Amino acid sequence: MRRSVGSDILLARHGSAISSMRLDRGNGRVVATLADGSCDSAPNLIDPDLHMPGTLDDDTKLLAAVCAATLGLAAVMTAVVAVLYSLASPEQLAAFATTLGSYPSSM
């Protein structure tokens, strides 16, 4: 969820007349310089209790945990395949390759 709204407010007010924007973190505002040289500002947060952009929120933490779990599972599966491959005899590997080659292409 996007919590910073200052740039959206200024874009709605002035559109293409904005020549540059900057974030005033001290005051929690976005300041825009317009094409005619004047300035306008807007509050950057919907609610002052919300976190500033750039902090990790719950969704980001959940996504990072899911990615880490997926990578961990992939690493474990790769290690299992490597161990099984190193322990298999050449006859077992040939039989496995033959079995895989016999599946129809529609699968």
Side-chain angles (χ1 to χ4, degrees):
M1 179 174 77
R2 197 168 160 199
R3 294 183 178 127
S4 57
V5 295
S7 57
D8 294 336
I9 293 170
L10 291 171
L11 283 169
R13 283 184 196 164
H14 303 289
S16 62
I18 297 174
S19 60
S20 69
M21 276 194 270
R22 68 178 175 81
L23 178 60
D24 182 2
R25 288 189 187 269
N27 295 322
R29 299 183 74 76
V30 175
V31 180
T33 305
L34 305 177
D36 64 1
S38 62
C39 291
D40 189 13
S41 67
N44 198 37
L45 297 176
I46 298 172
D47 184 341
D49 293 333
L50 295 176
H51 299 289
M52 287 295 291
T55 60
L56 293 178
D57 59 354
D58 292 338
D59 293 340
T60 305
K61 291 177 187 175
L62 177 65
L63 183 61
V66 169
C67 288
T70 303
L71 287 175
L73 182 62
V76 168
M77 291 173 64
T78 302
V80 167
V81 168
V83 167
L84 291 176
Y85 180 79
S86 68
L87 295 176
S89 67
E91 295 83 22
Q92 288 173 326
L93 292 174
F96 182 68
T98 304
T99 303
L100 285 179
S102 67
Y103 284 110
S105 62
S106 63
M107 290 183 89

